[in-house]
Amino acid sequence: MPGQLELLGIGLLNALSPMNMAMILSGLVIGVLAGALPGITMLNAVVLVLPFTYLMDIVPSLLLMTSVYCGGVFGGSITGILFNIPGDPMNVPTTWEGYALNKKGFVSKALGMAIMASALGGFLSAMIMTFVSPPFAKIALSFSSTEYFAVVFLGLVSVVVIGTKSIGSAMICLFIGMLLGTIGMDDIYGVPRFTFGSRLMETGINFTVVLIGLFAIGEVLEQLCVKTEGQTGKVRTRPKTELPRPRDLWPLRYSLFRGLSIGTIIGAIPGAGATVASFVSYGFERQVSKEPEKFGTGHWPGLVASETAINASTGGAMIPLLTLGIPGSGATAIMMGAFLLHGIQPGPLLFTKAPEAVYTIFVGMLVCNLVMILAGLLCAKFFAELMRVPENILGCFIIVFSLVGAYALRNDMADVWYMAVFGILGYFMRRYALPVPPLILGLILGPLAERYFITSMISSGNDITVFFARPVSGAIMAVSIAFLLMPLIRSYRSRKKISKAQGTP
Amino acid sequence: MPVSPLGDKPKKAFSLLIKSSAGVLVILGFAILAYVLSTRIDSFPMPGQLGPAFWPRMIIVLLIVSGFIKVGELVAEWRKGFSPELTCAGQVNGARLAAIIVTMLLCVLAIDYIGFALSIFCFIIVFLRLAGVRKPLSLILSSVLGTVGLLYLFVKVVYLPLPKGAWLFERVTLFVYRALGII
């Protein structure tokens, strides 16, 4: 059997064939466009291309799907940076920093930095996937609900470090979000909660609907109905994407490395996914930053950390799929379906039965992340054209797309109602300076936290120490607690400094 | 000279404190109501298990605790001599805001009855008029092109079964689809 380098060479030749390159480029464009449109998720796009793979070989099929996957997780960042409308929940942290940078006048650089950080994150995680897949997958497989809860808890804890002036407001919004997440049918016991017998409530609140409402509708209402000083006569220009130079990237190398590590590790944990990765990476970056107060105001390390983590999670998610036959996310589950459609069972035997195909997929992912720079630039140019559309017409079509997007999720008018109500709520939250991000975080991570917490409690006989007794979960919980205490320590230190400077004890 | 935390405080700041605390008190009231409602969750006896009501109740308790933390923050801010900030900067066009919100809600309500195509057509016209577009030609053109484009994209390309409406309106929607060659 050929060695690893030889297989990589074969994989490179295969991946660069015209057919495979066409699949990569078209998949990336489809993915970026789908990811950027609110309501059409990356997962929808992967599902939509699945029927086209029936007549293809397994390698172009997988390359098409992986490129839709890689482009899809990035796409939402473009609309997030340009219009404050994240295409997917995972793009929310990028939106916080990217849109703030846009408002500061750095839109071109922010778009370029997001594209480059995504491409680098995806490329390096694909490299990791290529070389350390098998041992990595074994570790991820040993994770139980206890470790999952610890990871989600770390994500929730990041709410105290997300750029907000008031911890009290952030906590209120977080717990309201978590409470909203409990509405509907309970996953574990199958009992309706807070439904009042209404069909509208029984389906529960889909977080994508809330996301579309709070961000898209809230933003349109704010832009059309609130006039701030100096806004009158504002000329909307078309931004050009400006890729960062090496000297721009060098100061951000540590943020990039942290985003890459967190993204790859969380991506490799089945079920965790890009959303958890981006929130945890953003929160972690703020904690280790020397300028945490700048987060949320347009800070480059925040943008780079979250964006790198999102695409790094794609390489991570492929590890358990290819090595163990276990899909780590919704998108990889559909890819597993594509494998099975072609009569191939992913798992350890894949490496011995079809090593050339596996290494073509590895190299294909590497190429895909490099080509993503081109696809990202193309799609960013397309969306940037929309910046020239007058504000009122753009706002109108954002609302119309949001209505259709909310309906498209489950073909249910209940979602459209939720979207409209949360849109109005989003506007008033902005006006009354209530932070929107914690509410979103609570709604996304709350149900996951509940599922893993209750499962852990059932399996441990309600022993709360189980989260600290297992080494991995114990370590993550310790980091979370350190995260929680850090703002208190910081404020104590700053108060001490002030009192020292004033000469009072 | 240090200013007394309570004595020289302007009345306006105190009223702001009351106003901002009122918002938190509403949330606390809502949390208490939610706790009462959580007692109605069907928690059939499961020995050794936390049950379906445990998680929401825990969150409600944490929400109440957060409410008290917020009140503490507001009082601390007020005692320092700062007036708690209630709203963001900017002048709101209240009439336009109310009109846009009502239009959006009416559109959502109408989708079930008159169908997606007609609702969106009307919504675009009314919204653009409210948002300051004056020329009738621009209004009609944006509305027609926008609706047709959306129908092509979502019904013909994505196969999304958008609501067609009830009674006569279902026939009108189907007529529009046929006229456009969508079905």
Side-chain angles (χ1 to χ4, degrees), chain A residues 88-93 152 156 174 177-178 181 205-208 210-211 272 275-276 279 437-449 451:
Chain A
D88 258 317
M90 66 190 85
N91 309 110
V92 171
V152 173
L156 284 170
L174 173 80
M178 289 177 78
I205 301 175
N206 184 302
F207 57 75
T208 309
V210 178
L211 193 74
T275 305
V276 179
F279 278 103
L439 194 144
I440 296 282
L441 194 70
L443 192 61
I444 294 171
L445 299 184
L448 289 176
R451 190 186 311 152

Side-chain angles (χ1 to χ4, degrees), chain B residues 29-81:
Chain B
F30 159 77
I32 292 165
L33 178 71
Y35 193 89
V36 173
L37 290 171
S38 76
T39 57
R40 294 187 194 168
I41 294 172
D42 189 10
S43 298
F44 44 87
M46 280 166 294
Q49 287 196 27
L50 296 170
F54 171 80
W55 186 260
R57 275 184 203 159
M58 187 183 79
I59 289 168
I60 293 164
V61 170
L62 289 169
L63 177 61
I64 292 170
V65 171
S66 309
F68 284 115
I69 291 174
K70 180 67 193 169
V71 171
E73 274 180 6
L74 288 169
V75 171
E77 213 173 313
W78 178 71
R79 285 178 71 91
K80 270 186 203 165

Side-chain angles (χ1 to χ4, degrees), chain A residues 288-306:
Chain A
V288 298
S289 170
K290 284 176 186 162
E291 301 165 313
E293 71 285 350
K294 285 190 177 173
F295 277 71
T297 63
H299 196 39
W300 295 105
L303 177 85
V304 168
S306 69

